[in-house]
């Protein structure tokens, strides 16, 4: 039986290596679940963090279910071994829905714990986790007609976690916006969006109300130039394919301009990347760096305007 586990980190599919690389101390890796003897650490590559894992000895399947129910109602299984036994335990627990959610939706109201079987007679269970979604998986009811790419799911993911999104009449800059998944998502909120890219938007997005497009190199756009037309950028959105270091330097200028309220920027990494730049983004005051469920070999830097919830901003 393993003891001395203080936190557990569930890596996104295919990203155990960067998660293990960023964790301090000796860890035990069970498929995508990484167990640590240390208190919670800053991580970028965790899909869900088990914040209070308890090791619990169990006599039987019923005893396991009894122990979990004594802690709280809602549990989700992450199974790396003994799948059948684990499933029999989960089946004795109250039903938890994992149905895809609509956008927009509030965060789940009830806490969701995570558990696994370390061996046939030992549970690892954490009533408190970083994500309210099953194994950190935020699945949406998708729109397969409107958007020209599935990239819009990243924005929906970020906006849902933040519980903030553009409001009707807001102005959004969409850097690297082609073919237009993000512009489509902004247009659906009723906000205005200026999309810039070297490649055009898909015609069905370019013709949506509130969408405008300019072709060119986004890194040539400076805050003082845009400010002549749009003095406030309510949402600065970037999904540009570029080195994160280049994005950092560019974004600093926009931060310093004071004209941007909220930022959501994808940091795109290549194979064998050095992830140190993620710390530079995370160290910018008021920032978070996340691996969204809909991110691939990417992280998302988010910085919201300080103050009351942006969804309730008075007009
Ligand atoms: C991942 S795609 C964006 C997808 C888009 N967010 C969507 O929802 O459909 C990245 C885009 O960055 C654009 N891009 C890369 N470098 C650029 C640059 N220097 N200036 C403008 N666009 C650039 C590419 O042309 C590409 O369309």
């Amino acid at each position: 039986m393993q003891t001395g586990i203080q936190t557990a980190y569930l890596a996104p599919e295919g990203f155990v290596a960067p998660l293990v690389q960023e964790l301090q101390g000796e860890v035990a890796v069970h498929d995508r679940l990484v167990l640590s003897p240390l208190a919670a650490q800053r991580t970028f590559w965790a899909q869900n963090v088990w914040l209070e894992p308890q090791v619990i000895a169990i006599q039987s399947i019923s005893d396991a279910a009894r122990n979990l129910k004594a802690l709280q109602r809602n549990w989700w299984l992450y199974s790396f071994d003994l799948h059948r036994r684990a499933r029999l335990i989960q089946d004795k627990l109250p039903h938890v829905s994992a149905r895809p959610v609509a956008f927009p939706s509030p965060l789940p109201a009830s806490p969701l714990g995570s558990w696994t079987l370390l061996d046939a007679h030992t549970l690892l269970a954490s009533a408190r986790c970083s994500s309210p979604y099953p194994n950190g998986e935020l699945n949406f009811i998708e729109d397969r007609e409107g958007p020209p790419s599935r990239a819009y799911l990243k924005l929906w993911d970020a906006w849902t976690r933040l519980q903030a999104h553009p409001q009707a009449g807001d102005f959004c800059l969409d850097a690297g916006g082609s073919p237009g998944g993000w512009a489509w998502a902004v247009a659906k909120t009723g906000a205005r969006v200026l999309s810039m890219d070297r490649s055009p938007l898909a015609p069905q997005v370019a013709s949506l109300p509130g969408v405008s497009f300019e072709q060119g190199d986004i890194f040539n756009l400076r805050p003082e130039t845009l400010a002549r037309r749009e003095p406030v950028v309510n949402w600065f959105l970037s999904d540009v394919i570029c080195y994160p270091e280049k994005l950092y330097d560019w974004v600093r200028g926009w931060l310093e301009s004071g004209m941007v309220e909220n930022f959501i920027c994808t940091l795109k990494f290549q194979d064998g990347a050095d992830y140190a730049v993620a710390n530079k983004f995370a160290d910018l005051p008021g920032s978070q760096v996340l691996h969204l469920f809909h991110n691939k070999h990417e992280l998302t830097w988010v910085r919201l305007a300080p103050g009351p919830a942006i969804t309730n901003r008075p007009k």
Side-chain angles (χ1 to χ4, degrees):
M1 183 198 297
Q2 283 167 275
T3 52
I5 301 163
Q6 282 218 50
T7 37
Y9 301 82
L10 185 66
E13 205 89 53
F15 295 104
V16 174
L19 174 62
V20 168
Q21 189 188 318
E22 67 180 341
L23 284 170
Q24 306 291 314
E26 203 154 308
V27 295
V29 181
H30 298 280
D31 197 1
R32 287 195 290 128
L33 189 65
V34 182
L35 311 183
S36 163
L38 305 179
Q41 305 171 41
R42 176 199 263 185
T43 50
F44 303 129
W45 295 95
Q47 192 163 290
N48 195 15
V49 183
W50 300 15
L51 296 163
E52 288 172 359
Q54 302 181 35
V55 176
I56 303 168
I58 51 161
Q59 307 299 323
S60 63
I61 287 167
S62 301
D63 185 40
R66 217 172 11 252
N67 270 283
L68 288 167
K69 282 192 276 191
L71 289 174
Q72 70 171 30
R73 181 187 186 277
N74 294 335
W75 289 98
W76 198 262
L77 166 66
Y78 175 74
S79 168
F80 62 82
D81 196 7
L82 301 161
H83 303 292
R84 194 176 134 69
R85 185 172 173 81
R87 177 49 50 200
L88 290 170
I89 296 170
Q90 183 69 39
D91 288 347
K92 287 191 174 291
L93 297 171
H95 174 74
V96 175
S97 168
R99 277 201 302 270
V101 299
F103 179 83
S105 281
L107 294 173
S110 312
L112 179 61
S114 280
W115 72 278
T116 193
L117 274 177
L118 291 178
D119 61 46
H121 299 289
T122 315
L123 295 180
L124 184 71
S126 179
R128 211 159 65 82
C129 291
S130 66
S131 172
Y133 297 100
N135 288 335
E137 297 178 8
L138 175 45
N139 284 299
F140 289 102
I141 300 166
E142 296 190 26
D143 187 322
R144 298 187 193 276
E145 313 274 298
S149 72
R150 292 181 76 237
Y152 73 98
L153 294 168
K154 292 188 276 188
L155 270 190
W156 278 9
D157 191 332
W159 288 339
T160 301
R161 287 174 184 235
L162 299 167
Q163 287 294 292
H165 58 77
Q167 301 295 288
D170 277 357
F171 173 73
C172 307
L173 180 68
D174 173 30
S178 172
W182 286 28
W184 174 87
V186 172
K188 288 264 287 184
T189 68
R192 296 174 298 126
V193 56
L194 168 61
S195 220
M196 293 187 81
D197 200 298
R198 291 200 183 110
S199 307
L201 291 180
Q204 81 266 24
V205 178
S207 60
L208 289 173
V211 174
S212 52
F213 174 75
E214 284 174 24
Q215 197 148 11
D217 183 345
I218 190 71
F219 294 106
N220 290 335
L221 182 68
R222 298 284 148 195
E224 54 278 16
T225 320
L226 185 63
R228 285 184 219 124
R229 292 187 276 164
E230 294 285 351
V232 175
V233 179
N234 302 106
W235 289 85
F236 180 105
L237 309 169
S238 170
D239 200 22
V240 180
I241 296 173
C242 66
Y243 289 110
E245 291 78 4
K246 180 170 180 168
L247 184 69
Y248 181 84
D249 291 341
W250 187 57
V251 150
R252 286 292 302 265
W254 290 92
L255 267 172
E256 282 156 20
S257 78
M259 65 186 282
V260 178
E261 288 186 345
N262 308 295
F263 291 84
I264 297 180
C265 299
T266 313
L267 318 183
K268 296 179 184 268
F269 295 99
Q270 299 190 316
D271 286 347
D274 171 4
Y275 301 113
V277 67
N279 284 302
K280 285 173 66 175
F281 275 98
D283 288 341
L284 293 169
S287 296
Q288 298 177 60
V289 174
L290 310 162
H291 186 275
L292 302 173
F293 179 56
H294 296 279
N295 277 146
K296 299 190 178 83
H297 195 179
E298 304 166 328
L299 295 172
T300 298
W301 172 66
V302 172
R303 183 181 178 277
L304 292 187
I310 289 149
T311 41
N312 300 327
R313 180 185 339 102
K315 288 282 164 204

mmCIF file of all heavy atoms in Angstrom, residues 148-149 151-152 154 174-183 196-199 216-219 239-242 246 268 298, ligand 1:
data_model
loop_
_atom_site.group_PDB
_atom_site.id
_atom_site.type_symbol
_atom_site.label_atom_id
_atom_site.label_comp_id
_atom_site.label_asym_id
_atom_site.label_seq_id
_atom_site.Cartn_x
_atom_site.Cartn_y
_atom_site.Cartn_z
ATOM 1 N N PRO A 148 -16.381 26.845 -38.626
ATOM 2 C CA PRO A 148 -15.608 26.145 -39.653
ATOM 3 C C PRO A 148 -14.486 25.273 -39.070
ATOM 4 O O PRO A 148 -13.819 24.558 -39.809
ATOM 5 C CB PRO A 148 -15.007 27.288 -40.467
ATOM 6 C CG PRO A 148 -14.903 28.412 -39.499
ATOM 7 C CD PRO A 148 -16.016 28.267 -38.529
ATOM 8 N N SER A 149 -14.233 25.373 -37.757
ATOM 9 C CA SER A 149 -13.231 24.503 -37.119
ATOM 10 C C SER A 149 -13.718 24.251 -35.698
ATOM 11 O O SER A 149 -14.623 24.922 -35.206
ATOM 12 C CB SER A 149 -11.864 25.201 -37.072
ATOM 13 O OG SER A 149 -11.887 26.249 -36.108
ATOM 14 N N ALA A 151 -11.948 24.744 -33.110
ATOM 15 C CA ALA A 151 -11.157 25.564 -32.192
ATOM 16 C C ALA A 151 -12.033 26.369 -31.233
ATOM 17 O O ALA A 151 -11.590 26.734 -30.140
ATOM 18 C CB ALA A 151 -10.247 26.498 -32.989
ATOM 19 N N TYR A 152 -13.298 26.629 -31.633
ATOM 20 C CA TYR A 152 -14.187 27.416 -30.756
ATOM 21 C C TYR A 152 -14.375 26.747 -29.404
ATOM 22 O O TYR A 152 -14.678 27.405 -28.410
ATOM 23 C CB TYR A 152 -15.550 27.637 -31.438
ATOM 24 C CG TYR A 152 -16.424 26.402 -31.498
ATOM 25 C CD1 TYR A 152 -17.434 26.183 -30.568
ATOM 26 C CD2 TYR A 152 -16.227 25.431 -32.465
ATOM 27 C CE1 TYR A 152 -18.220 25.041 -30.607
ATOM 28 C CE2 TYR A 152 -17.007 24.289 -32.519
ATOM 29 C CZ TYR A 152 -17.999 24.099 -31.588
ATOM 30 O OH TYR A 152 -18.765 22.958 -31.621
ATOM 31 N N LYS A 154 -12.185 25.661 -27.470
ATOM 32 C CA LYS A 154 -11.199 26.187 -26.509
ATOM 33 C C LYS A 154 -11.739 27.448 -25.839
ATOM 34 O O LYS A 154 -11.595 27.644 -24.637
ATOM 35 C CB LYS A 154 -9.869 26.509 -27.223
ATOM 36 C CG LYS A 154 -9.138 25.272 -27.720
ATOM 37 C CD LYS A 154 -7.747 25.605 -28.238
ATOM 38 C CE LYS A 154 -7.750 26.059 -29.659
ATOM 39 N NZ LYS A 154 -6.396 26.199 -30.240
ATOM 40 N N ASP A 174 -9.329 39.256 -32.467
ATOM 41 C CA ASP A 174 -9.156 37.808 -32.659
ATOM 42 C C ASP A 174 -7.906 37.620 -33.523
ATOM 43 O O ASP A 174 -7.982 37.687 -34.747
ATOM 44 C CB ASP A 174 -10.422 37.266 -33.346
ATOM 45 C CG ASP A 174 -10.316 35.804 -33.759
ATOM 46 O OD1 ASP A 174 -9.599 35.047 -33.099
ATOM 47 O OD2 ASP A 174 -10.983 35.437 -34.752
ATOM 48 N N ALA A 175 -6.774 37.420 -32.858
ATOM 49 C CA ALA A 175 -5.500 37.328 -33.572
ATOM 50 C C ALA A 175 -5.273 35.914 -34.081
ATOM 51 O O ALA A 175 -5.386 34.959 -33.313
ATOM 52 C CB ALA A 175 -4.361 37.736 -32.622
ATOM 53 N N GLY A 176 -4.954 35.798 -35.355
ATOM 54 C CA GLY A 176 -4.770 34.475 -35.952
ATOM 55 C C GLY A 176 -6.114 33.769 -36.024
ATOM 56 O O GLY A 176 -6.252 32.637 -35.557
ATOM 57 N N GLY A 177 -7.099 34.438 -36.562
ATOM 58 C CA GLY A 177 -8.491 33.984 -36.441
ATOM 59 C C GLY A 177 -8.983 33.036 -37.517
ATOM 60 O O GLY A 177 -10.094 32.510 -37.397
ATOM 61 N N SER A 178 -8.214 32.823 -38.583
ATOM 62 C CA SER A 178 -8.691 31.971 -39.690
ATOM 63 C C SER A 178 -8.643 30.493 -39.287
ATOM 64 O O SER A 178 -7.704 30.078 -38.601
ATOM 65 C CB SER A 178 -7.792 32.200 -40.913
ATOM 66 O OG SER A 178 -8.105 31.282 -41.924
ATOM 67 N N PRO A 179 -9.621 29.681 -39.653
ATOM 68 C CA PRO A 179 -10.752 29.969 -40.554
ATOM 69 C C PRO A 179 -11.952 30.622 -39.870
ATOM 70 O O PRO A 179 -12.910 30.962 -40.558
ATOM 71 C CB PRO A 179 -11.121 28.581 -41.086
ATOM 72 C CG PRO A 179 -10.746 27.640 -39.979
ATOM 73 C CD PRO A 179 -9.514 28.227 -39.354
ATOM 74 N N GLY A 180 -11.949 30.768 -38.522
ATOM 75 C CA GLY A 180 -13.026 31.567 -37.954
ATOM 76 C C GLY A 180 -13.826 30.927 -36.822
ATOM 77 O O GLY A 180 -14.896 31.439 -36.484
ATOM 78 N N GLY A 181 -13.319 29.863 -36.234
ATOM 79 C CA GLY A 181 -14.050 29.233 -35.111
ATOM 80 C C GLY A 181 -14.221 30.202 -33.941
ATOM 81 O O GLY A 181 -15.304 30.301 -33.351
ATOM 82 N N TRP A 182 -13.154 30.936 -33.617
ATOM 83 C CA TRP A 182 -13.248 31.866 -32.481
ATOM 84 C C TRP A 182 -14.141 33.054 -32.842
ATOM 85 O O TRP A 182 -14.937 33.509 -32.031
ATOM 86 C CB TRP A 182 -11.845 32.349 -32.058
ATOM 87 C CG TRP A 182 -11.048 31.314 -31.316
ATOM 88 C CD1 TRP A 182 -11.160 29.962 -31.435
ATOM 89 C CD2 TRP A 182 -10.024 31.543 -30.333
ATOM 90 N NE1 TRP A 182 -10.269 29.340 -30.591
ATOM 91 C CE2 TRP A 182 -9.563 30.274 -29.912
ATOM 92 C CE3 TRP A 182 -9.453 32.687 -29.787
ATOM 93 C CZ2 TRP A 182 -8.551 30.132 -28.955
ATOM 94 C CZ3 TRP A 182 -8.440 32.550 -28.834
ATOM 95 C CH2 TRP A 182 -7.995 31.283 -28.423
ATOM 96 N N ALA A 183 -13.993 33.556 -34.058
ATOM 97 C CA ALA A 183 -14.838 34.688 -34.486
ATOM 98 C C ALA A 183 -16.310 34.278 -34.442
ATOM 99 O O ALA A 183 -17.172 35.052 -34.016
ATOM 100 C CB ALA A 183 -14.438 35.135 -35.891
ATOM 101 N N MET A 196 -7.915 39.003 -37.387
ATOM 102 C CA MET A 196 -6.777 39.279 -38.268
ATOM 103 C C MET A 196 -5.988 38.002 -38.483
ATOM 104 O O MET A 196 -5.729 37.249 -37.546
ATOM 105 C CB MET A 196 -5.878 40.351 -37.661
ATOM 106 C CG MET A 196 -6.574 41.705 -37.616
ATOM 107 S SD MET A 196 -5.463 43.019 -37.103
ATOM 108 C CE MET A 196 -4.612 43.373 -38.622
ATOM 109 N N ASP A 197 -5.601 37.777 -39.726
ATOM 110 C CA ASP A 197 -4.861 36.564 -40.064
ATOM 111 C C ASP A 197 -4.234 36.766 -41.435
ATOM 112 O O ASP A 197 -4.668 37.633 -42.203
ATOM 113 C CB ASP A 197 -5.823 35.345 -40.096
ATOM 114 C CG ASP A 197 -5.087 34.016 -39.949
ATOM 115 O OD1 ASP A 197 -4.252 33.679 -40.820
ATOM 116 O OD2 ASP A 197 -5.337 33.323 -38.952
ATOM 117 N N ARG A 198 -3.255 35.938 -41.721
ATOM 118 C CA ARG A 198 -2.706 35.945 -43.086
ATOM 119 C C ARG A 198 -3.677 35.301 -44.064
ATOM 120 O O ARG A 198 -3.652 35.576 -45.255
ATOM 121 C CB ARG A 198 -1.388 35.171 -43.098
ATOM 122 C CG ARG A 198 -0.278 35.854 -42.350
ATOM 123 C CD ARG A 198 1.032 35.257 -42.847
ATOM 124 N NE ARG A 198 2.162 35.791 -42.143
ATOM 125 C CZ ARG A 198 2.897 35.096 -41.282
ATOM 126 N NH1 ARG A 198 2.614 33.839 -41.039
ATOM 127 N NH2 ARG A 198 3.928 35.660 -40.685
ATOM 128 N N SER A 199 -4.516 34.388 -43.530
ATOM 129 C CA SER A 199 -5.482 33.681 -44.380
ATOM 130 C C SER A 199 -6.878 34.197 -44.087
ATOM 131 O O SER A 199 -7.152 34.650 -42.968
ATOM 132 C CB SER A 199 -5.439 32.178 -44.083
ATOM 133 O OG SER A 199 -4.121 31.711 -44.182
ATOM 134 N N GLY A 216 -3.269 40.072 -42.926
ATOM 135 C CA GLY A 216 -1.904 40.560 -42.731
ATOM 136 C C GLY A 216 -1.227 39.892 -41.550
ATOM 137 O O GLY A 216 -1.775 38.969 -40.942
ATOM 138 N N ASP A 217 -0.020 40.390 -41.264
ATOM 139 C CA ASP A 217 0.779 39.849 -40.163
ATOM 140 C C ASP A 217 0.337 40.529 -38.864
ATOM 141 O O ASP A 217 0.503 41.740 -38.700
ATOM 142 C CB ASP A 217 2.261 40.133 -40.438
ATOM 143 C CG ASP A 217 3.168 39.543 -39.376
ATOM 144 O OD1 ASP A 217 2.666 39.162 -38.287
ATOM 145 O OD2 ASP A 217 4.386 39.474 -39.621
ATOM 146 N N ILE A 218 -0.223 39.761 -37.969
ATOM 147 C CA ILE A 218 -0.793 40.314 -36.735
ATOM 148 C C ILE A 218 0.265 41.026 -35.893
ATOM 149 O O ILE A 218 -0.053 41.977 -35.168
ATOM 150 C CB ILE A 218 -1.503 39.194 -35.915
ATOM 151 C CG1 ILE A 218 -2.308 39.770 -34.750
ATOM 152 C CG2 ILE A 218 -0.537 38.159 -35.398
ATOM 153 C CD1 ILE A 218 -3.529 40.505 -35.144
ATOM 154 N N PHE A 219 1.511 40.591 -35.995
ATOM 155 C CA PHE A 219 2.536 41.188 -35.136
ATOM 156 C C PHE A 219 2.886 42.620 -35.557
ATOM 157 O O PHE A 219 3.596 43.314 -34.849
ATOM 158 C CB PHE A 219 3.774 40.288 -35.069
ATOM 159 C CG PHE A 219 3.458 38.982 -34.389
ATOM 160 C CD1 PHE A 219 3.334 37.805 -35.117
ATOM 161 C CD2 PHE A 219 3.232 38.938 -33.022
ATOM 162 C CE1 PHE A 219 3.003 36.609 -34.494
ATOM 163 C CE2 PHE A 219 2.891 37.747 -32.383
ATOM 164 C CZ PHE A 219 2.779 36.578 -33.125
ATOM 165 N N ASP A 239 -4.985 33.006 -31.019
ATOM 166 C CA ASP A 239 -4.771 31.579 -31.277
ATOM 167 C C ASP A 239 -3.699 31.453 -32.371
ATOM 168 O O ASP A 239 -3.662 30.468 -33.106
ATOM 169 C CB ASP A 239 -6.103 30.958 -31.732
ATOM 170 C CG ASP A 239 -6.160 29.444 -31.581
ATOM 171 O OD1 ASP A 239 -5.396 28.891 -30.772
ATOM 172 O OD2 ASP A 239 -6.989 28.819 -32.274
ATOM 173 N N VAL A 240 -2.848 32.490 -32.465
ATOM 174 C CA VAL A 240 -1.820 32.547 -33.521
ATOM 175 C C VAL A 240 -0.821 31.417 -33.333
ATOM 176 O O VAL A 240 -0.390 31.139 -32.204
ATOM 177 C CB VAL A 240 -1.028 33.877 -33.441
ATOM 178 C CG1 VAL A 240 0.032 33.930 -34.547
ATOM 179 C CG2 VAL A 240 -1.931 35.055 -33.539
ATOM 180 N N ILE A 241 -0.432 30.796 -34.422
ATOM 181 C CA ILE A 241 0.651 29.815 -34.363
ATOM 182 C C ILE A 241 1.960 30.587 -34.382
ATOM 183 O O ILE A 241 2.287 31.242 -35.386
ATOM 184 C CB ILE A 241 0.585 28.842 -35.564
ATOM 185 C CG1 ILE A 241 -0.709 28.029 -35.502
ATOM 186 C CG2 ILE A 241 1.803 27.932 -35.581
ATOM 187 C CD1 ILE A 241 -0.946 27.158 -36.721
ATOM 188 N N CYS A 242 2.661 30.576 -33.253
ATOM 189 C CA CYS A 242 3.956 31.265 -33.174
ATOM 190 C C CYS A 242 4.685 30.767 -31.931
ATOM 191 O O CYS A 242 4.082 30.090 -31.088
ATOM 192 C CB CYS A 242 3.763 32.781 -33.081
ATOM 193 S SG CYS A 242 2.976 33.308 -31.555
ATOM 194 N N LYS A 246 7.649 34.838 -28.620
ATOM 195 C CA LYS A 246 7.275 35.958 -29.489
ATOM 196 C C LYS A 246 5.928 36.535 -29.040
ATOM 197 O O LYS A 246 5.743 37.758 -28.980
ATOM 198 C CB LYS A 246 7.206 35.465 -30.944
ATOM 199 C CG LYS A 246 6.832 36.538 -31.920
ATOM 200 C CD LYS A 246 7.002 36.074 -33.355
ATOM 201 C CE LYS A 246 6.613 37.209 -34.297
ATOM 202 N NZ LYS A 246 6.997 36.981 -35.662
ATOM 203 N N LYS A 268 1.396 27.850 -28.000
ATOM 204 C CA LYS A 268 1.534 26.617 -28.789
ATOM 205 C C LYS A 268 2.966 26.112 -28.712
ATOM 206 O O LYS A 268 3.896 26.887 -28.941
ATOM 207 C CB LYS A 268 1.127 26.883 -30.238
ATOM 208 C CG LYS A 268 -0.351 27.253 -30.317
ATOM 209 C CD LYS A 268 -0.817 27.541 -31.720
ATOM 210 C CE LYS A 268 -2.255 27.992 -31.727
ATOM 211 N NZ LYS A 268 -3.214 26.914 -31.913
ATOM 212 N N GLU A 298 -0.688 22.509 -26.176
ATOM 213 C CA GLU A 298 -0.892 23.946 -25.994
ATOM 214 C C GLU A 298 -1.235 24.210 -24.530
ATOM 215 O O GLU A 298 -1.763 23.339 -23.844
ATOM 216 C CB GLU A 298 -2.111 24.431 -26.791
ATOM 217 C CG GLU A 298 -2.110 24.153 -28.256
ATOM 218 C CD GLU A 298 -3.488 24.364 -28.887
ATOM 219 O OE1 GLU A 298 -4.530 24.150 -28.224
ATOM 220 O OE2 GLU A 298 -3.524 24.731 -30.056
HETATM 221 C C1 LIG B 1 -4.807 27.515 -35.081
HETATM 222 S S1 LIG B 1 -5.121 28.615 -36.351
HETATM 223 C C2 LIG B 1 -6.383 29.606 -35.657
HETATM 224 C C3 LIG B 1 -7.732 28.947 -35.614
HETATM 225 C C4 LIG B 1 -8.822 29.924 -35.257
HETATM 226 N N1 LIG B 1 -8.684 30.400 -33.878
HETATM 227 C C5 LIG B 1 -10.210 29.352 -35.412
HETATM 228 O O1 LIG B 1 -10.937 29.325 -34.416
HETATM 229 O O2 LIG B 1 -10.583 28.940 -36.496
HETATM 230 C C6 LIG B 1 -3.745 29.662 -36.288
HETATM 231 C C7 LIG B 1 -3.762 30.779 -37.286
HETATM 232 O O3 LIG B 1 -2.657 31.627 -37.033
HETATM 233 C C8 LIG B 1 -2.373 32.272 -38.254
HETATM 234 N N2 LIG B 1 -1.078 32.969 -38.184
HETATM 235 C C9 LIG B 1 0.149 32.453 -37.928
HETATM 236 N N3 LIG B 1 1.069 33.432 -37.919
HETATM 237 C C10 LIG B 1 0.408 34.595 -38.159
HETATM 238 C C11 LIG B 1 0.813 35.958 -38.243
HETATM 239 N N4 LIG B 1 2.072 36.320 -38.059
HETATM 240 N N5 LIG B 1 -0.135 36.875 -38.501
HETATM 241 C C12 LIG B 1 -1.421 36.535 -38.684
HETATM 242 N N6 LIG B 1 -1.867 35.250 -38.590
HETATM 243 C C13 LIG B 1 -0.958 34.302 -38.340
HETATM 244 C C14 LIG B 1 -2.432 31.153 -39.268
HETATM 245 O O4 LIG B 1 -2.633 31.652 -40.561
HETATM 246 C C15 LIG B 1 -3.616 30.328 -38.732
HETATM 247 O O5 LIG B 1 -4.802 30.636 -39.444
#
